[in-house]
């Protein structure tokens, strides 16, 4: 079972969200997590925005993984969002983003945070997965694709 599948409930999968900027995405995510985790939306927004100021979380190929450390959060949590229209995200390839995975971790998170980011990078590096997420017909199909995906194990022999 992937770490991603452990932190992404089906209720945190959104398709064709209609927002026009990075700021609006962070506002919507703030509202989502405020409702599900009882953490002020402003705390979530500020954390994501502060991380973004350090450097874009856009990976390229239309994907971004905004993430932040949240004081008071008890365990890592994620949300997958497919945007209705691409949004500029300052990705290295200059392409706008339509596939977003937001990762929130407790303020004191260490290795787990990095392991989840690594899995997300693996997931979104797969063109087939990106294409399937871009065309998923409904939330259930997108959730199933993400939640059943398995990371490849590194072979250190």
């Amino acid at each position: 079972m992937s770490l991603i599948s452990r932190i992404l409930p089906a209720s945190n999968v959104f398709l064709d969200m209609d927002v026009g900027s990075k700021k609006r995405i962070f506002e919507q995510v703030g509202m989502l997590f405020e409702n599900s985790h009882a953490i002020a939306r402003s705390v979530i927004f500020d954390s994501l925005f502060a991380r973004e100021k350090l450097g874009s979380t856009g990976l390229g190929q239309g994907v971004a993984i905004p993430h932040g450390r949240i004081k008071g959060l008890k365990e890592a949590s994620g949300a997958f969002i497919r945007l209705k229209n691409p949004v500029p995200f300052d990705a290295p390839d200059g392409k706008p983003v339509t596939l977003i995975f937001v990762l929130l971790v407790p303020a004191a998170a260490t290795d787990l945070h990095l392991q989840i980011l690594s899995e997300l990078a693996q997931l979104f590096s797969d063109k087939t997965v990106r294409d399937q997420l871009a065309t998923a017909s409904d939330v259930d199909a997108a959730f199933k694709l993400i939640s059943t995906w398995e990371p490849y194990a590194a072979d250190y022999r």
Side-chain angles (χ1 to χ4, degrees), residues 21-23 26 28 36 43 45 59 63 78 85 89 100 136:
S21 69
K22 206 186 290 193
K23 181 180 176 184
F26 294 168
Q28 290 294 314
S36 63
V43 170
F45 177 89
L59 298 183
V63 175
N85 298 301
F89 228 92
I100 299 170

Side-chain angles (χ1 to χ4, degrees), residues 126-146:
D126 186 325
K127 183 179 181 343
T128 302
V129 170
R130 289 193 314 269
D131 290 347
Q132 289 173 340
L133 287 171
T135 59
S137 58
D138 57 36
V139 166
D140 290 338
F143 175 72
K144 184 176 181 185
L145 181 64
I146 296 169

Side-chain angles (χ1 to χ4, degrees), residues 42-127:
S42 61
V43 170
I44 294 162
F45 177 89
D46 291 347
S47 177
L48 293 173
F49 207 76
R51 171 56 189 86
E52 207 62 30
K53 284 182 179 178
L54 297 175
S56 176
T57 56
L59 298 183
Q61 303 299 321
V63 175
I65 306 175
H67 52 281
R69 295 178 182 272
I70 307 295
K71 186 177 180 179
L73 190 67
K74 302 215 183 317
E75 57 187 29
S77 188
F80 172 75
I81 301 162
R82 182 178 73 196
L83 299 176
K84 184 174 183 177
N85 298 301
V87 169
F89 228 92
D90 302 317
D93 63 2
K95 293 181 181 178
V97 164
T98 55
L99 303 176
I100 299 170
F101 195 101
V102 178
L103 173 63
L104 301 179
V105 296
T110 54
D111 285 350
L112 180 63
H113 176 212
L114 299 175
Q115 290 170 7
I116 296 169
L117 285 172
S118 174
E119 279 193 10
L120 288 166
Q122 283 182 42
L123 172 75
F124 288 114
S125 68
D126 186 325
K127 183 179 181 343

